[in-house]
Amino acid sequence: MKISNDNPTRRQPQEVTTALPARGDSLSSLAMSKPHWEDSPYFDGWKEYARNPYHPINDPSGIIQMDLAENQLSLGLLESWLYTHPEASIWTEEGLSMFREIASYHDNLGLPACRKGIAMFMEEVGGRKAKFERDRIVLTAGATAAHEVLTFCLVDPGEAFLVPTPYYPRFDRDLKWRTGVDLIPVQCSSCNDFQITIPALEAAYEQARARNIEVKGLLITNPSNPLGTTMENSTLRNLLAFVYEKNIHLVCDEIYSGSVFSSPKFTSIAEILATEKICQTDRVHIVYSFYEDLGLPSFRVGVIYSYNDTVVTAARRMSRFSLVSSQTQHLIASMLCDTDFVRKYLTENSKRLRERHEMFVSGLRVAGINCLNSNTGLFCWVDLRHLLQFRNQEGEIILWTIILKEIGLIVSAGSSCHCSEPGWFRFCFANMDDQTVQESLNRIHLFVESKTPNQRGMAG
Amino acid sequence: MKISNDNPTRRQPQEVTTALPARGDSLSSLAMSKPHWEDSPYFDGWKEYARNPYHPINDPSGIIQMDLAENQLSLGLLESWLYTHPEASIWTEEGLSMFREIASYHDNLGLPACRKGIAMFMEEVGGRKAKFERDRIVLTAGATAAHEVLTFCLVDPGEAFLVPTPYYPRFDRDLKWRTGVDLIPVQCSSCNDFQITIPALEAAYEQARARNIEVKGLLITNPSNPLGTTMENSTLRNLLAFVYEKNIHLVCDEIYSGSVFSSPKFTSIAEILATEKICQTDRVHIVYSFYEDLGLPSFRVGVIYSYNDTVVTAARRMSRFSLVSSQTQHLIASMLCDTDFVRKYLTENSKRLRERHEMFVSGLRVAGINCLNSNTGLFCWVDLRHLLQFRNQEGEIILWTIILKEIGLIVSAGSSCHCSEPGWFRFCFANMDDQTVQESLNRIHLFVESKTPNQRGMAG
């Protein structure tokens, strides 16, 4: 059987509101709609990558995957932990006695030990500056689910979140579809390293209001995806002041908080709330997951941490559509309650990310390519404006296509992140080994050299 | 922190449609709404059970949980399998080499081996009368999620499914909330053992149409929850004819198909489609899970099997909000691809369920209590009409309260399943050991004796 990605529409989404006499066999408007992302050229890029992935021996000219923010640098640390902790497995002589308890029915609170471990981990990542109450932790099957559940809790269809740009492209794909939320980009620019400013927020807010759109919240990623930067305390305080003034919510995606590899340190919004002794905290909500920081993307453990009691209750009810396997909860619980391991892991992971980042960024520098200064994450924000044929979005797509088809790298283009300045790209560097990073750099060097023979001649 | 179950509503759901000038800090209408179930007296019953659960030593007068359809009878078989298959665990020397592959990023198709194992298991359960294509399998975090995703795919808010009664109470709680589907009960009665009839379906369909409600599908559970019965082939053929005539979808929940313990055998809708050589299959969708048949409720593995290509594509996209941990997929894959184990498990599980069912039903018979003849499931449908004080819903709630507070058993009342005849109750019998079943029977006997001194005297 072939499942098509195209919808052989018996009914177009725009026709949905018209009641027809006998349309019982048709599908919902959601099922008939095509998600935003699949209309973009980048979707074709992923399909092309799937047809021809790089392999050092089997396909050395294949496409290298640099559009996947996955951390493979520290999996060995996790392997060692697993091997030395058989009691945490329901398979082993030491752990089998837990099987019945793990397998049997649990409500949607999640295992207490799992929530305890998550709270301890979030405290550790935040430098032990704020406490996380385990009763405020809602588990979901990954960060995507956490974001969707939170959106279902905060907005009605047609209401909006402000989202500073550049932002994670899949917010468009994931958050809008079933909830009906509108995402309104807040323009940030390279002139101040893409930092969020209050005038930009005010402008986006006022434009939305002028279009009669109800703004319900501000959604930020801190550390930023795709920038790889952490927010300053003063910025966080300004954002809090903004949401209080506008009477809206603040959703802080902190899924890269355990991936900071150099100064400045990461500040969680929880630390600001704790140190500023802000009473009115119930508009603040944090999203976390173990995809990025632990390198466990497919274990699907997402977290909503809300300071709002009603949101915690509603999100927990909704989490029954998106529960985390108790087998995986048991693993997470055992691993994260091992404080010694967590501290060593965070330190070593940070070191490995720093070395990898330095390797990639300095390799780019040799080719005359600069990146935004960054201190976190599994990617960097690369400035290729000087390689654009045209200084507009079309020029960016042309360059992105060249990177895909000629250089053989799949990366994210800034326009997919709503970046208003053409020529910026996100390159992921932690989902591969050193040799593959070197191969990607070699290809970039060759390409840049082939494009600049005159300059090289002049320089020589 | 105390999370209240009550919503301290700053905004009532009914006010949502009225746009107010500054309501940005309010929550969504979903978050502010109280789910159907929490308004029922049965919700209080669960809270009462949570405060005072039965334990043979610590709390021998506590409430026995007979409202939980969970199979604990065959967990030992699973334990033995785990212990003898260390290669299927990422913890062991034999299986650790799989860790990186399991942990790394996978798309939402699910592991191929997992889908293969599920297809093989569904074929085995269906008596190998129909093939299941693994490309039509969509994985979700449990059957609840599978049902919700399928509903999102088939209906727009306000459209409806017909659901024969008595039906699983949590359909009201789980399916309606976020999708906006309307569930229209189809009346069935004890005069024909609650079998679904075409006149009852026609009546419900016409009433819905008269109320201008668009009926999009018929949702059945086969085997039935709460009846514990399987549907005859002729019934399934009639239902198919009905949905074809009305141009609507058929959703078949088959989550108890591996729990049949006596004749007649289970017939999957897949078998009907295969043997009748029906071409127009794309209105048929199956929901399955491993909660009930394998006794793994908290591992959260649900399945949508749709014959409709567009539904498969849309459901798979939606499954990213509800993915199954790859760790658990790996376990399911390893276990279900072991055909010998699966056959032995199904045979032995069936034997254990038959013995337990016989023990409970014969124990009730001694107390003068009859059940609907059943051949499957983890529960039976108990006729307590002769114990009703009033032959109406109020009388049923009074009796349910007596069962909870005086006898000390939590069970489901027929009215929570939309049963139109007061006095029927669902008793679960597979989530406990023999001693606890005996304790529940002792309590029932004592109660019945205490209520019938005259009759006993007369009989004596």
Side-chain angles (χ1 to χ4, degrees), chain A residues 6-304:
Chain A
D6 298 309
N7 287 319
T9 45
R10 282 169 298 180
R11 175 176 52 128
Q12 295 298 324
Q14 59 269 31
E15 292 174 356
V16 167
T17 48
T18 317
L20 300 173
R23 60 188 186 89
D25 71 332
S26 63
L27 307 179
S28 69
S29 47
L30 277 178
M32 303 304 282
S33 66
K34 201 166 187 175
H36 168 82
W37 191 61
E38 293 189 13
D39 278 333
S40 79
Y42 311 116
F43 185 62
D44 297 326
W46 270 73
K47 286 197 280 189
E48 188 136 340
Y49 164 73
R51 279 193 294 272
N52 182 31
Y54 168 78
H55 187 278
I57 295 154
N58 302 337
D59 193 356
S61 65
I63 297 168
I64 299 176
Q65 175 55 275
M66 303 192 86
D67 194 18
L68 186 63
E70 178 181 338
N71 183 359
Q72 292 185 5
L73 302 183
S74 302
L75 286 176
L77 304 175
L78 303 182
E79 276 175 337
S80 303
W81 186 90
L82 291 173
Y83 194 62
T84 51
H85 289 80
E87 77 287 355
S89 169
I90 52 172
W91 250 271
T92 60
E93 207 156 345
E94 297 85 345
L96 191 64
S97 62
M98 286 296 290
F99 171 67
R100 283 171 190 253
E101 195 179 319
I102 302 298
S104 66
Y105 174 79
H106 300 284
D107 59 25
N108 52 5
L109 282 172
L111 300 181
C114 183
R115 286 181 290 130
K116 178 184 169 196
I118 289 171
M120 285 166 61
F121 190 85
M122 290 174 78
E123 284 166 16
E124 193 64 36
V125 162
R128 296 184 292 285
K129 298 286 180 61
K131 294 294 286 180
F132 288 93
E133 295 174 47
R134 66 190 80 166
D135 286 348
R136 293 198 174 279
I137 288 174
V138 179
L139 293 175
T140 60
T144 302
H147 270 294
E148 199 207 34
V149 164
L150 201 44
T151 307
F152 267 125
C153 289
L154 300 181
V155 305
D156 283 320
E159 295 178 336
F161 284 153
L162 303 179
V163 196
T165 63
Y167 69 73
Y168 179 51
R170 297 199 180 181
F171 281 158
D172 288 322
R173 188 193 72 173
D174 295 334
L175 293 197
K176 290 172 165 181
W177 194 27
R178 300 201 301 186
T179 68
V181 71
D182 195 359
L183 300 186
I184 297 177
V186 178
Q187 295 309 332
C188 303
S189 87
S190 61
C191 67
N192 72 341
D193 292 341
F194 297 98
Q195 286 186 63
I196 309 165
T197 65
I198 296 300
L201 284 169
E202 289 282 2
Y205 183 84
E206 290 309 325
Q207 280 163 20
R209 299 285 292 178
R211 287 162 54 211
N212 214 16
I213 296 171
E214 187 72 31
V215 174
K216 287 294 278 296
L218 167 63
L219 165 59
I220 59 169
T221 58
N222 175 37
S224 164
N225 178 6
L227 298 176
T229 53
T230 47
M231 268 180 209
E232 290 176 15
N233 294 21
S234 58
T235 305
L236 288 169
R237 277 195 295 268
N238 289 340
L239 297 184
L240 268 179
F242 176 81
V243 302
Y244 287 139
E245 190 220 314
K246 301 299 183 200
N247 224 12
I248 62 176
H249 295 273
L250 178 62
V251 176
C252 301
D253 175 321
E254 299 188 349
I255 65 175
Y256 291 98
S257 52
S259 301
V260 177
F261 51 77
S262 65
S263 63
K265 72 168 190 61
F266 163 72
T267 304
S268 170
I269 194 73
E271 179 182 335
I272 304 289
L273 293 180
T275 54
E276 306 273 317
K277 299 208 174 8
I278 292 166
C279 300
Q280 202 182 2
T281 56
D282 67 352
R283 293 184 213 156
V284 181
H285 322 276
I286 297 172
V287 167
Y288 191 61
S289 92
F290 294 92
Y291 182 142
E292 298 73 13
D293 287 344
L294 279 185
L296 295 174
S298 291
F299 280 34
R300 307 285 171 190
V301 187
V303 174
I304 296 168

Side-chain angles (χ1 to χ4, degrees), chain A residues 1-5 7-8 10-11 16 20-33 35 38 68 70 72 75-76 78-79 81-83 85-86 88-93 96 99-100 102-106 133 135-136 141 144-145 148-149 152-156 159 170 173-174 177-178 209 214-216 247-249 283 291 295-300 308-314 317-318 320-328 331, chain B residues 1-5 7-8 10-11 16 20-33 35 38 68 70 72 75-76 78-79 81-83 85-86 88-91 93 96 99-100 102-106 133 135-136 141 144-145 148-149 152-156 159 170 173-174 177-178 209 214-216 247-249 283 291 295-300 308-314 317-318 320-328 331:
Chain A
M1 187 209 64
K2 193 176 158 289
I3 303 295
S4 167
N5 279 311
N7 287 319
R10 282 169 298 180
R11 175 176 52 128
V16 167
L20 300 173
R23 60 188 186 89
D25 71 332
S26 63
L27 307 179
S28 69
S29 47
L30 277 178
M32 303 304 282
S33 66
E38 293 189 13
L68 186 63
E70 178 181 338
Q72 292 185 5
L75 286 176
L78 303 182
E79 276 175 337
W81 186 90
L82 291 173
Y83 194 62
H85 289 80
S89 169
I90 52 172
W91 250 271
T92 60
E93 207 156 345
L96 191 64
F99 171 67
R100 283 171 190 253
I102 302 298
S104 66
Y105 174 79
H106 300 284
E133 295 174 47
D135 286 348
R136 293 198 174 279
T144 302
E148 199 207 34
V149 164
F152 267 125
C153 289
L154 300 181
V155 305
D156 283 320
E159 295 178 336
R170 297 199 180 181
R173 188 193 72 173
D174 295 334
W177 194 27
R178 300 201 301 186
R209 299 285 292 178
E214 187 72 31
V215 174
K216 287 294 278 296
N247 224 12
I248 62 176
H249 295 273
R283 293 184 213 156
Y291 182 142
L296 295 174
S298 291
F299 280 34
R300 307 285 171 190
N308 184 308
D309 294 359
T310 310
V311 170
V312 170
T313 303
R317 283 189 190 118
M318 285 187 199
R320 66 175 166 258
F321 305 113
S322 178
L323 291 165
V324 180
S325 163
S326 58
Q327 187 195 12
T328 297
L331 180 158
Chain B
M1 188 207 66
K2 193 176 158 291
I3 303 295
S4 166
N5 281 310
N7 289 318
R10 284 168 296 178
R11 173 176 55 128
V16 168
L20 301 174
R23 59 187 185 87
D25 72 331
S26 63
L27 307 180
S28 69
S29 46
L30 277 177
M32 303 306 282
S33 65
E38 294 188 12
L68 186 62
E70 179 181 339
Q72 293 184 6
L75 287 176
L78 302 182
E79 276 175 337
W81 186 90
L82 291 173
Y83 194 62
H85 289 79
S89 169
I90 53 171
W91 249 272
E93 207 156 346
L96 191 63
F99 171 66
R100 282 172 189 254
I102 302 298
S104 67
Y105 174 80
H106 300 284
E133 295 174 46
D135 285 349
R136 292 199 175 279
T144 302
E148 198 207 34
V149 165
F152 266 126
C153 289
L154 300 181
V155 305
D156 283 320
E159 296 178 335
R170 296 197 182 182
R173 189 193 72 173
D174 295 333
W177 194 26
R178 300 199 304 185
R209 300 285 291 180
E214 186 72 33
V215 175
K216 287 294 279 292
N247 224 10
I248 62 176
H249 294 272
R283 292 183 213 157
Y291 182 141
L296 294 173
S298 291
F299 280 33
R300 306 288 171 188
N308 184 308
D309 293 358
T310 310
V311 169
V312 171
T313 303
R317 285 192 190 115
M318 285 188 200
R320 65 175 165 257
F321 305 113
S322 178
L323 290 166
V324 180
S325 163
S326 58
Q327 186 194 12
T328 296
L331 180 157

Side-chain angles (χ1 to χ4, degrees), chain B residues 244-283:
Chain B
Y244 286 139
E245 189 219 316
K246 301 299 183 200
N247 224 10
I248 62 176
H249 294 272
L250 178 62
V251 176
C252 301
D253 175 322
E254 299 189 348
I255 65 174
Y256 292 98
S257 52
S259 301
V260 177
F261 51 76
S262 64
S263 62
K265 72 168 189 62
F266 163 70
T267 303
S268 170
I269 194 72
E271 178 182 334
I272 303 291
L273 293 180
T275 53
E276 306 272 319
K277 300 208 175 7
I278 292 167
C279 299
Q280 202 182 0
T281 56
D282 68 351
R283 292 183 213 157

